[in-house]
Amino acid sequence: MPQALEGVTGVAKLLFKPFAILSGILGGVIASAVFSKVWKAATHEDDTPDASDEERGLKEILSAAALKGAIAGVVKAVLHRGGASGVRGLTGTWPA
């Protein structure tokens, strides 16, 4: 890396860190809302299963947990990738 650009990577990381924290919080809220809507559309039930819900079977609880995890992963990836692309647009460097 040329000497003139050595500090840019640090700046990119510094700019990206607050965004990453906020996107993590926002991502959790978005993923939860999406999961609730998907679960309601798939099962026609308003209440989503919880691991400690004794009225639900293990199959239903595990299915809900897998779906919730998949949705959370996709939302996190979209927000993280978008933030990294934005930082690259501002600084010219990918925040590794």
Side-chain angles (χ1 to χ4, degrees):
M1 177 181 296
Q3 192 173 15
L5 296 177
E6 285 181 6
V8 174
T9 303
V11 171
K13 288 181 182 181
L14 186 64
L15 286 173
F16 185 65
K17 192 56 117 176
F19 176 81
I21 293 169
L22 289 175
S23 71
I25 294 168
L26 180 61
V29 172
I30 291 170
S32 182
V34 169
F35 169 70
S36 292
K37 288 189 181 286
V38 169
W39 188 260
K40 184 176 181 177
T43 64
H44 306 292
E45 296 178 10
D46 290 331
D47 190 29
T48 58
D50 186 78
S52 61
D53 191 349
E54 69 179 326
E55 296 176 9
R56 310 266 185 152
L58 183 61
K59 182 179 174 184
E60 184 178 16
I61 289 171
L62 295 179
S63 298
L67 178 62
K68 190 172 190 175
I71 290 170
V74 168
V75 169
K76 178 182 176 184
V78 166
L79 292 175
H80 189 82
R81 183 70 180 206
S85 295
V87 168
R88 182 181 61 193
L90 291 172
T91 65
T93 305
W94 192 262

